[in-house]
């Protein structure tokens, strides 16, 4: 076993354990953790199952198969970041709506108070 | 009887808003005025309330698109038939509002835009600005199939259906131009009427030609993205 393989296995186990721990402690919501978990599992499988990694790498003309792991990790990171951008857009739209609703509520509350005084 | 609302977004317009609201009250005593205070740090909100306008104070500066949409949401909630956008900086003379309201009451279009370039306006924009205005007019006219001359004009009136549509979705970045494309995609009618506008009273618009070109490119990009958007009516 090459040392790069040992490093890859330890690294992917580390990522997997940290994510599960963050979910367990309530610091990461499951819906945002799914992509992380999938990428950790895929990386772990490819690190342990060397022959599968070699097969995929050679079919893609990647000469040094461990470098294919980097490609996989990179693609997952891209997906995760894109996922976050979508979530941020959704949250900012909701934030806008909330702010608008609060502002309108404040205005109608003031009007009710004014009419009560009269 | 049509319920009419004037929507006036304002960001630090304490200098000019008193004059605008007083003039609207005098010119159109039967319409309601809603000021959307977009996080002003001056007395804008206080002055507007003092003059009897309804004021919605946004919790932070949300930008013109979100501010305007707040106005449309209020108009939709309160069942207004017509909403007229009027700037708080004094650019839009209150005696011109009727030219927007009349065609809206006759339901001649879903959105009526006051154009500075139809009729006898003596508005002379700078060279760079003029180029931008021409390009927007050409692009938006081509997309919508209506001949539009003043796509950046924020002096406009919307009918009931349009109010409801805006309450649901309103663009944030360059709403004046973008809205026209979205309205067209949703199947609304747009028309222009000639109006006069004043040079702004308070504040100033000081953009260099380079900034104008940058602005133009950004708006055109936003418009092309809007063309790809799925629009629900």
């Amino acid at each position: 076993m090459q040392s790069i393989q040992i490093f890859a296995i330890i690294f992917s186990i580390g990522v997997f354990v940290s994510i599960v721990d963050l979910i367990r402690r309530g610091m990461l919501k499951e819906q945002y953790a799914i992509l992380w978990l999938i990428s950790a599992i895929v990386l772990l499988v490819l690190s342990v199952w060397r022959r599968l990694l070699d097969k995929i790498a050679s079919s893609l003309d990647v000469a040094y198969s461990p470098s294919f792991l980097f490609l996989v990790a990179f693609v997952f990171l891209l997906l995760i970041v894109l996922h976050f951008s979508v979530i941020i857009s959704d949250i900012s739209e909701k934030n806008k709506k909330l702010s608008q609703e609060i502002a309108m509520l404040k205005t109608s509350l003031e009007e009710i108070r004014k009419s009560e005084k009269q | 009887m049509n319920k009419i609302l004037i929507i006036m977004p304002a960001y630090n317009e304490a200098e000019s808003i008193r004059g605008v609201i007083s003039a609207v009250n005098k010119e159109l005593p039967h319409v309601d005025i809603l000021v959307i205070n977009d996080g002003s740090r001056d007395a804008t909100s206080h002055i507007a309330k003092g003059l009897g306008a309804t004021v919605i104070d946004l919790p932070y500066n949300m930008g013109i698109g979100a501010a305007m949409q707040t106005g449309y949401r209020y108009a939709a909630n309160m069942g207004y038939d017509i909403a007229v956008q009027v700037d708080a900086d004094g650019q839009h003379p209150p005696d011109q509002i009727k030219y927007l309201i009349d065609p809206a009451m006759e339901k001649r279009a879903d959105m009526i835009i006051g154009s500075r370039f139809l009729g006898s306006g003596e508005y002379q924009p700078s060279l760079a600005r003029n180029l931008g205005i021409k390009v927007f007019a050409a692009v938006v006219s081509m997309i919508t199939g209506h001949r539009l001359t003043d796509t950046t004009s924020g002096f406009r009136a919307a009918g009931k259906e349009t109010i409801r549509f805006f309450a649901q979705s309103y663009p944030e970045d360059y709403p004046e131009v973008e809205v026209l494309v979205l309205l067209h995609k949703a199947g609304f009618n747009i028309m222009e009427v000639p109006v006069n506008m004043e040079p702004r009273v308070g504040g100033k618009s000081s953009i260099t030609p380079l900034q104008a070109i940058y602005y133009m490119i950004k708006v055109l990009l936003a418009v092309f993205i809007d063309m790809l958007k799925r629009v629900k009516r």
Side-chain angles (χ1 to χ4, degrees), chain B residues 28-55:
Chain B
L28 303 157
H30 57 284
V31 308
D32 299 329
I33 302 176
L34 172 69
V35 173
I36 313 292
N37 170 31
D38 193 9
S40 300
R41 270 160 293 154
D42 62 7
T44 301
S45 169
H46 184 73
I47 293 169
K49 280 174 190 158
L51 292 168
T54 304
V55 178

Side-chain angles (χ1 to χ4, degrees), chain B:
Chain B
M1 188 61 199
N2 281 305
K3 267 181 87 182
I4 301 171
L5 180 71
I6 305 280
I7 302 174
M8 206 180 284
Y11 177 58
N12 294 338
E13 299 285 7
E15 276 177 62
S16 55
I17 201 161
R18 184 186 299 280
V20 179
I21 293 177
S22 318
V24 173
N25 278 334
K26 215 171 92 190
E27 197 73 36
L28 303 157
H30 57 284
V31 308
D32 299 329
I33 302 176
L34 172 69
V35 173
I36 313 292
N37 170 31
D38 193 9
S40 300
R41 270 160 293 154
D42 62 7
T44 301
S45 169
H46 184 73
I47 293 169
K49 280 174 190 158
L51 292 168
T54 304
V55 178
I56 294 181
D57 292 303
L58 297 180
Y60 57 95
N61 183 264
M62 295 177 69
I64 181 66
M68 198 62 89
Q69 191 190 26
T70 311
Y72 280 113
R73 292 182 66 165
Y74 177 88
N77 288 347
M78 307 298 269
Y80 281 94
D81 301 297
I82 295 168
V84 189
Q85 299 178 199
V86 177
D87 277 5
D89 64 4
Q91 265 197 88
H92 303 151
D95 63 350
Q96 305 282 304
I97 296 174
K98 57 176 180 285
Y99 300 122
L100 299 176
I101 291 176
D102 289 346
M105 292 216 277
E106 292 160 17
K107 295 207 165 57
R108 286 171 59 197
D110 300 303
M111 172 120 238
I112 294 102
I113 299 165
S115 168
R116 290 161 283 191
F117 307 110
L118 294 171
S120 63
E122 53 260 19
Y123 173 63
Q124 284 290 332
S126 70
L127 203 69
R129 195 173 268 246
N130 194 34
L131 175 76
I133 285 165
K134 290 264 166 64
V135 170
F136 292 157
V139 169
V140 177
S141 299
M142 206 178 70
I143 294 169
T144 62
H146 298 276
R147 185 183 159 258
L148 298 171
T149 57
D150 200 353
T151 58
T152 54
S153 161
F155 197 25
R156 26 180 91 174
K160 197 160 189 151
E161 287 282 299
T162 319
I163 291 172
R164 259 190 239 140
F165 177 68
F166 287 162
Q168 287 304 314
S169 71
Y170 197 79
E172 282 174 29
D173 297 335
Y174 311 100
E176 285 85 4
V177 188
E178 291 191 68
V179 133
L180 301 175
V181 176
L182 297 173
L183 279 175
H184 169 71
K185 287 191 74 170
F188 288 98
N189 290 315
I190 305 162
M191 82 179 262
E192 278 191 337
V193 294
V195 292
N196 291 318
M197 289 194 200
E198 300 285 340
R200 46 176 71 212
V201 177
K204 56 177 189 277
S205 168
S206 54
I207 55 169
T208 67
L210 210 67
Q211 282 171 316
I213 290 167
Y214 181 52
Y215 169 79
M216 195 175 90
I217 292 168
K218 284 196 295 187
V219 175
L220 288 177
L221 269 177
V223 164
F224 290 130
I225 291 170
D226 288 332
M227 285 175 69
L228 302 173
K229 272 187 192 158
R230 224 185 297 163
V231 180
K232 281 181 296 207
R233 182 165 177 173

Side-chain angles (χ1 to χ4, degrees), chain A:
Chain A
M1 203 182 267
Q2 283 174 304
S3 53
I4 178 72
Q5 190 176 7
I6 295 163
F7 171 75
I9 291 170
I10 292 171
F11 180 77
S12 17
I13 291 175
V15 172
F16 187 81
V17 170
S18 323
I19 288 169
V20 171
D21 189 48
L22 282 172
I23 298 172
R24 205 176 52 85
R25 283 196 275 169
M27 291 164 75
L28 180 61
K29 288 195 177 192
E30 289 88 337
Q31 62 181 119
Y32 303 129
I34 291 168
L35 262 174
W36 281 113
L37 286 174
I38 294 173
S39 45
I41 291 167
V42 169
L43 283 179
L44 184 61
V45 167
L46 289 176
S47 320
V48 175
W49 194 353
R50 182 63 197 256
R51 275 183 37 216
L52 180 69
L53 180 69
D54 287 343
K55 222 175 170 180
I56 301 173
S58 68
S59 72
L60 291 170
D61 293 327
V62 177
Y64 179 60
S65 48
S67 69
F68 178 68
L69 274 182
F70 287 99
L71 179 65
V72 174
F74 176 74
V75 168
F76 272 115
L77 281 183
L78 266 186
L79 281 177
I80 289 167
V81 172
L82 183 64
H83 184 218
F84 285 167
S85 304
V86 172
I87 291 166
I88 290 170
S89 307
D90 180 52
I91 290 174
S92 74
E93 183 63 28
K94 284 176 181 158
N95 180 63
K96 182 178 87 177
K97 270 202 175 142
L98 268 178
S99 311
Q100 289 173 330
E101 289 295 328
I102 290 173
M104 286 194 284
L105 279 175
K106 264 168 66 189
T107 300
S108 47
L109 184 66
E110 267 172 43
E111 260 157 30
I112 291 169
R113 283 202 183 131
K114 233 190 287 170
S115 64
E116 269 180 353
K117 266 185 208 162
Q118 282 163 5

